[in-house]
Amino acid sequence: MRPRVWVLDTNVVVSAALTAGGTCDRLLRAAVDGRLNLAWSAPMLAEYRAVLLRPKFGLSRPVVAGLLAAFDPAHQVPAGGAPSLPDPDDEGFLAAALATADRVLVTGNGVHFPARICRPVRVLSPVEAWRELERG
C-alpha cells in the first residue's frame, strides 16, 4: 500500500512541536518514518516557519528547521485554487489538499473548513487521522 499524502494545518504542526508524544507529534513522526507523506505549498511552509518561530513557543531556529524537514520537496504542490473559506488564510491548506490524490486535510479547527465548501476534501481531526493511519 502506498503511503498516504495528507495536508496538516498549522495548528497540527504547532501542536506536534509543543506536545511530545501527542497525537499531532505521532502524525509528524509518521511522516518522518515514511508512513505518511505531507503535501505542502511554499506559502504553507512559510506560515509554519513564521508561527513556529514566534517567541511565545520558545523554539529555536534549528528545532524549527528539524520539524520542517518532514516536508519532503517531492510533495510540494502549487499554491492557490481553493474555493473561498470564512478565513481566507485557510484557503491555501484546502488548495493543497485538493491537489493530492487522497484529498485529506488534518486540522484541530474543523469548523474553519465547512464540509459543504470543502468537498471532496475530507477534513479530519488529528485523532481521526491517527486512527485512520493506524488502520492502514
Side-chain angles (χ1 to χ4, degrees):
M1 182 173 172
R2 70 169 175 77
R4 292 171 165 99
V5 181
W6 292 351
V7 172
L8 301 183
D9 195 1
T10 304
N11 60 71
V12 175
V13 177
V14 170
S15 182
L18 299 178
T19 311
T23 304
C24 296
D25 179 49
R26 288 183 296 195
L27 288 168
L28 199 59
R29 289 180 188 277
V32 171
D33 295 343
R35 295 186 320 156
L36 175 65
N37 293 309
L38 303 175
W40 57 277
S41 66
M44 287 171 54
L45 202 64
E47 179 176 322
Y48 295 150
R49 183 177 291 107
V51 172
L52 288 167
L53 287 172
R54 289 178 181 165
K56 69 179 180 179
F57 296 130
L59 300 171
S60 69
R61 288 189 181 279
V63 167
V64 170
L67 288 165
L68 298 182
F71 294 86
D72 187 331
H75 298 289
Q76 183 175 3
V77 297
S84 296
L85 288 170
D87 182 351
D89 291 342
D90 291 331
E91 292 169 8
F93 297 91
L94 179 57
L98 284 165
T100 69
D102 292 337
R103 295 184 171 167
V104 171
L105 171 62
V106 183
T107 182
N109 294 323
V111 297
H112 290 199
F113 298 93
R116 62 180 166 57
I117 298 173
C118 295
R119 282 187 192 97
V121 169
R122 290 187 309 127
V123 178
L124 302 177
S125 72
V127 169
E128 291 168 332
W130 181 251
R131 285 182 185 144
E132 187 168 317
L133 187 63
E134 286 295 287
R135 279 194 302 264

